Amino acid sequence: MGFLDYKESVRRVIDFIEANLCDALTVEKLAAVAGYSKYHFVRIFVEETGLTPADYIRKRRLSEIAGKLDGHTGSIAELAFSYGFNSKENFVRAFKAEHRVLPTEYRRAKNSLRLYPRFTKEPWAEGSDAKEAAEPGGDTTKRKSFMPEPKLRMLSPFSLTVYESDEEFPPHFWNKYNCKGFSLRLSGGKTVPDYGVSDWDKRTNTLRYYIGIRTEDARGDTAGTKTLSVAGGMYAVFATWPANHFDFVDVIQNTWKYINTHWLLHSGYVRTGGYEFETYVEESRRYSEEIYIPVRREEG
């Protein structure tokens, strides 16, 4: 079979998983749906989705449960059992491993999570290292037509009071920041914009990430924070398209992918190397943020 046959087989399995997400799903059963041996099926599934079948099923079940927690009047254990978790403890352990917060903390804070909707691919991600993308509800129309063009803005220098992330994946640190009320702790109880700041450490070739608020708004408990000085100058400012509670984090991630794999390659602008940041008011529940990239015209 050719490459397109492999893709179609994986799509057929995805359809089967989605239709039977609450039932027992074994690799043997999925391999039979795909029409391949167990070994060959797992290989092509990982190649296409970036996840093993077991990881994909776990992420999808956790995402579906998280999506239902907000309006669910019953117990968390009921939801967990209905999606195949054999105990509340196993579900809580899996949820915390996936999101770095407890399901009760998430239910109380109602913050945005990096959920994992049905697998598909971004139209601009072909040929890039992006494996998966979220298309909530299976409606790809908006996402495929969305290629955000930035506005160029001149900013004055300002400073931020921030916590340094202890997570490799920034959305995990945002979960902790939102669920534990760090923003209100910093501001002294006032709702203000939050800033997530990226800083690439060339010496160690790693990303350092920080979350906090403007220093002039930091009138509360600032223990454990540091101050970042953000340079003034020209910034390309991208607005993410309006999302909802459940796909907001994915929209942000895909906007960053678009910036890095498309816009910067074709825009005639290059990064200056300064802090890059995203800003949003979680309490607003607007589910759209701005991403700021310091840029200059490319020479020649």
Side-chain angles (χ1 to χ4, degrees):
M1 289 189 177
F3 177 67
L4 292 179
D5 296 315
Y6 291 163
K7 291 174 72 71
E8 179 55 36
S9 293
V10 172
R11 291 297 188 271
R12 187 164 63 247
V13 171
I14 295 293
D15 288 343
F16 183 82
I17 291 173
E18 296 299 325
N20 299 276
L21 203 54
C22 296
D23 301 328
L25 294 169
T26 64
V27 175
E28 290 79 9
K29 184 182 293 186
L30 299 180
V33 172
Y36 293 109
S37 69
K38 177 181 172 181
Y39 170 81
H40 198 48
F41 162 66
V42 171
R43 185 179 66 80
I44 65 172
F45 192 93
V46 171
E47 183 178 312
E48 180 67 5
T49 68
L51 295 170
T52 66
D55 284 340
Y56 178 83
I57 292 167
R58 176 179 53 80
K59 285 177 178 289
R60 286 292 297 118
R61 285 174 171 167
L62 288 171
S63 294
E64 288 298 306
I65 293 170
K68 291 178 170 61
L69 273 177
D70 190 21
H72 183 65
T73 57
S75 70
I76 292 176
E78 286 178 350
L79 274 178
F81 293 150
S82 71
Y83 278 93
F85 288 93
N86 57 14
S87 73
K88 180 180 178 181
E89 291 72 22
N90 284 342
F91 165 67
V92 170
R93 190 180 302 114
F95 192 94
K96 188 170 184 181
E98 182 74 16
H99 300 299
R100 302 303 193 269
V101 294
L102 296 171
T104 50
E105 292 177 315
Y106 164 67
R107 194 179 202 179
R108 181 173 61 251
K110 298 181 181 179
N111 61 289
S112 307
L113 289 181
R114 172 37 162 122
L115 301 182
Y116 197 92
R118 180 192 179 102
F119 170 81
T120 184
K121 281 192 175 181
E122 283 295 341
W124 59 75
E126 294 294 336
S128 77
D129 61 353
K131 283 286 186 182
E132 80 282 349
E135 302 289 355
D139 181 2
T140 63
T141 305
K142 286 185 177 180
R143 195 68 53 87
K144 288 183 177 178
S145 65
F146 182 70
M147 288 195 166
E149 283 303 312
K151 295 180 179 179
L152 296 176
R153 296 183 191 171
M154 296 298 297
L155 298 185
S156 300
F158 63 95
S159 67
L160 296 169
T161 299
V162 298
Y163 298 100
E164 185 169 0
S165 174
D166 59 357
E167 296 283 350
E168 291 185 9
F169 188 47
H172 287 162
F173 192 58
W174 274 107
N175 293 345
K176 292 180 180 179
Y177 181 88
N178 288 324
C179 283
K180 298 182 186 301
F182 283 168
S183 184
L184 293 177
R185 182 187 303 177
L186 285 177
S187 69
K190 181 180 178 182
T191 298
V192 297
D194 295 306
Y195 289 75
V197 184
S198 302
D199 178 26
W200 189 258
D201 187 337
K202 294 181 180 179
R203 181 177 57 84
T204 61
N205 204 34
T206 56
L207 175 72
R208 290 183 299 210
Y209 195 80
Y210 311 87
I211 305 177
I213 64 178
R214 282 184 175 256
T215 300
E216 63 262 32
D217 292 327
R219 300 176 182 177
D221 181 1
T222 59
T225 64
K226 59 176 60 179
T227 301
L228 300 182
S229 297
V230 180
M234 182 167 62
Y235 286 76
V237 184
F238 296 81
T240 62
W241 70 279
N244 58 48
H245 186 180
F246 307 112
D247 68 352
F248 180 40
V249 179
D250 192 79
V251 168
I252 295 169
Q253 293 290 301
N254 288 325
T255 303
W256 276 104
K257 287 177 185 175
Y258 168 74
I259 293 168
N260 290 322
T261 65
H262 184 86
W263 189 82
L264 281 166
L265 297 179
H266 306 287
S267 65
Y269 290 89
V270 295
R271 288 179 159 103
T272 65
Y275 288 126
E276 301 177 4
F277 58 92
E278 47 198 348
T279 181
Y280 173 67
V281 181
E282 178 73 24
E283 292 297 317
S284 73
R285 298 296 192 257
R286 286 177 47 248
Y287 305 114
S288 178
E289 72 167 25
E290 289 186 326
I291 295 173
Y292 288 71
I293 311 290
V295 295
R296 60 175 173 79
R297 279 282 188 183
E298 189 172 15
E299 296 180 3

